[in-house]
Amino acid sequence: MKELEVLGVRVEMPTNHPIVLLRERDGDRYLPIWIGAAEATAIAYAQQGIEPPRPLTHDLMKNVIEGLGHKLTQVRIVELRDGVFHAALVLDGKTEISSRSSDAIALALRTGTTIVAGESLLDEAGVAMTGEEDKDDEVERFREFLDHVSAEDFETKPGETGPEQ
């Protein structure tokens, strides 16, 4: 399993679909995942350290897990099936719970949990970007990537797979 980090959330134009971009921590592959608007907001809030006055859904999930005496130990992006990314929440290092990848990412950011994906998934759905650009340029490269990509680039034919909708 390869560790991933969340670079950010952007809106793909002209369709206005939010995308979360994950980057392989020790590599050059990026994993763009189309997500819903609510999950995009939840991810952005977590990245910016915004704490709402009342818990949002992902804050509630975190509180329930911790309140029951458990710990989210890992988030796994496990597969891409029928154009949808699937994830698993790993509790206490042993119990796996199926999850949408966007919810899993939002929860991982709130709990400081590691996000990982298998090598085969990164080979299948990852986008390689090579070069010696500085880390400060990652967001700009993400913007450029989004300027030149559309949802149609990830559309699939029957029997193939593509990104989460």
Side-chain angles (χ1 to χ4, degrees), residues 15-165:
T15 64
N16 290 326
H17 288 157
I19 300 173
V20 62
L21 184 67
L22 305 173
R23 182 178 66 89
E24 184 179 22
R25 191 171 295 274
D26 295 319
D28 61 0
R29 290 176 291 188
Y30 292 73
L31 194 61
I33 301 176
W34 271 257
I35 61 175
E39 293 78 13
T41 300
I43 291 168
Y45 276 11
Q47 282 197 300
Q48 296 169 14
I50 296 172
E51 292 189 28
R54 299 290 299 145
L56 299 176
T57 304
H58 300 96
D59 302 306
L60 175 63
M61 288 175 58
K62 172 188 177 280
N63 294 343
V64 168
I65 290 168
E66 293 172 354
L68 292 172
H70 297 284
K71 181 178 179 173
L72 181 63
T73 52
Q74 191 176 64
V75 163
R76 296 180 184 157
I77 311 297
V78 294
E79 71 177 321
L80 180 60
R81 183 175 10 125
D82 298 326
V84 177
F85 282 94
H86 295 256
L89 305 174
V90 181
L91 298 175
D92 303 325
K94 57 185 177 196
T95 303
E96 285 193 28
I97 299 169
S98 180
S99 173
R100 295 187 312 171
S101 57
S102 55
D103 290 326
I105 293 165
L107 190 55
L109 290 172
R110 282 165 173 70
T111 59
T113 302
T114 302
I115 302 169
V116 297
E119 186 75 37
S120 60
L121 178 64
L122 289 168
D123 286 343
E124 174 186 355
V127 177
M129 293 189 189
T130 58
E132 296 296 322
E133 294 99 345
D134 295 328
K135 281 185 136 183
D136 294 338
D137 293 333
E138 287 177 354
V139 173
E140 185 57 36
R141 288 190 313 228
F142 181 35
R143 288 182 181 140
E144 289 175 17
F145 168 77
L146 292 176
D147 288 342
H148 295 94
V149 70
S150 70
E152 291 79 28
D153 293 333
F154 293 90
E155 284 184 357
T156 58
K157 297 178 179 84
E160 294 181 342
T161 58
E164 174 175 289
Q165 296 293 328

